[in-house]
Amino acid sequence: MRPFESIVILTGAGLSAESGVSTFRDPEGIWSKYDWREVATPEGFDSNPAYVHEFYNMRRRIHRDIKPNAAHFALARLENEHRGVTVITQNVDALHEAAGSKSLIHMHGEAMRALCAACGTSVPWTDDLSVATPCPSCGSVGRMRPDVVWFGEMPYHMERISELLSECDLFISIGTSGHVYPAASFVAEARAAGAHTVELNLEPSQGARLFAEGIYGPATEVVPEYVHKLLSVRTFE
Ligand code: OAD
Ligand code: ZN
């Protein structure tokens, strides 16, 4: 393995699975129990906001109680010991920051924040939300929603992400099935920029062939091992 300078890491639900957060598309995943059209689209929210609030209240309660796992800690350690590491996460939990990651982009938003559709204010939020919750900034009632990106909405920070991908020399994708765009196309962007590309996942994802390298197993095993390898190479530079 050669030393790398600029490292971009894309994470998905598989990274948090061993912390007790369900993934989406595995057999027992969230989309086997809920219809994403009902709980994760602007149209679903418009037609039944109380149901969507109930879904995210449930998820927020889970997120409040969970702890980062060895994979989150390994990525925070990598950032601490190597300049030029950015984590882009599709996860709406707060486990990367709990583990100590600082250079972090929440491209699909954060379940622990609420957004007012009337004035655009986003605020930290740990309690339940309802159709009766007033906006703490403008006072509008019935306009608060979880600050997460739904299908059909533009993910956050896309310009910054494109810039990072065009400059990286190592792109690592961890615990994501590669079903959801634009995240699923980041590997192609990184390749076009000349980066080495690696997938760490429980099993080959649907985009596995797009990666130069694949390492398969539970995130709490493969991620710390891979980070250890990256940091040892750097030591002998
Ligand atoms: P998925 O549920 O689609 O994929 C999770 C991936 O993690 C699968 O490829 C699993 O094989 C893998 N996996 C499961 N357990 C693992 C473990 N212990 N260690 C390593 N890998 C493991 O989740 P995402 O790809 O993150 O968006 O889904 C992307 C987006 O689709 C989400 O952000 C969400 C969802 O719909 C929205 O809600 C807008
Ligand atoms: Zn407001």
Side-chain angles (χ1 to χ4, degrees):
M1 193 190 279
R2 63 181 164 96
F4 295 98
E5 278 180 15
S6 177
I7 304 177
V8 173
I9 302 161
L10 172 70
T11 66
L15 191 77
S16 296
E18 290 163 84
S19 289
V21 190
S22 297
T23 59
F24 294 94
R25 294 174 184 78
D26 289 304
E28 290 294 301
I30 294 173
W31 297 154
S32 72
K33 301 182 177 81
Y34 292 88
D35 184 338
W36 61 268
R37 293 169 209 82
E38 292 177 359
V39 297
T41 61
E43 295 77 16
F45 187 60
D46 286 345
S47 71
N48 194 348
Y51 182 62
V52 176
H53 281 311
E54 201 183 292
F55 174 74
Y56 284 97
N57 290 342
M58 177 268 294
R59 297 204 64 202
R60 202 176 296 110
R61 279 184 224 128
I62 293 169
H63 290 176
R64 259 189 334 227
D65 294 339
I66 52 178
K67 301 270 179 295
N69 64 47
H72 297 99
F73 285 116
L75 295 181
R77 174 177 170 227
L78 179 63
E79 181 187 330
N80 244 332
E81 297 183 21
H82 187 292
R83 261 182 302 116
V85 175
T86 302
V87 172
I88 303 169
T89 189
Q90 298 168 89
N91 299 342
V92 298
D93 63 47
L95 294 180
H96 280 299
E97 43 275 60
S101 284
K102 300 225 157 34
S103 182
L104 172 67
I105 297 176
H106 270 286
M107 67 175 291
H108 287 171
E110 299 171 57
M112 303 290 248
R113 296 188 74 86
L115 172 70
C116 172
C119 72
T121 301
S122 170
V123 285
W125 205 274
T126 49
D127 297 330
D128 285 358
L129 275 175
S130 83
V131 289
T133 309
C135 169
S137 177
C138 73
S140 297
V141 173
R143 305 299 304 277
M144 296 302 282
R145 56 168 280 182
D147 194 358
V148 299
V149 175
W150 286 325
F151 290 99
E153 295 181 325
M154 179 60 86
Y156 288 141
H157 311 296
M158 284 310 295
E159 266 183 38
R160 175 76 188 122
I161 290 172
S162 287
E163 201 176 274
L164 284 163
L165 291 170
S166 71
E167 290 164 359
C168 74
D169 60 356
L170 174 62
F171 175 77
I172 313 170
S173 171
I174 310 175
T176 176
S177 64
H179 276 85
V180 175
Y181 287 84
S185 65
F186 291 174
V187 56
E189 279 185 63
R191 273 189 103 118
H196 180 61
T197 54
V198 189
E199 163 168 277
L200 307 183
N201 208 43
L202 195 56
E203 53 196 32
S205 72
Q206 74 159 19
R209 68 195 153 69
L210 302 171
F211 292 84
E213 192 183 350
I215 301 169
Y216 299 105
T220 55
E221 289 174 22
V222 295
V223 177
E225 272 168 34
Y226 190 76
V227 165
H228 178 74
K229 229 163 53 170
L230 275 177
L231 290 173
S232 351
V233 172
R234 205 205 45 156
T235 312
F236 296 115
E237 254 171 78

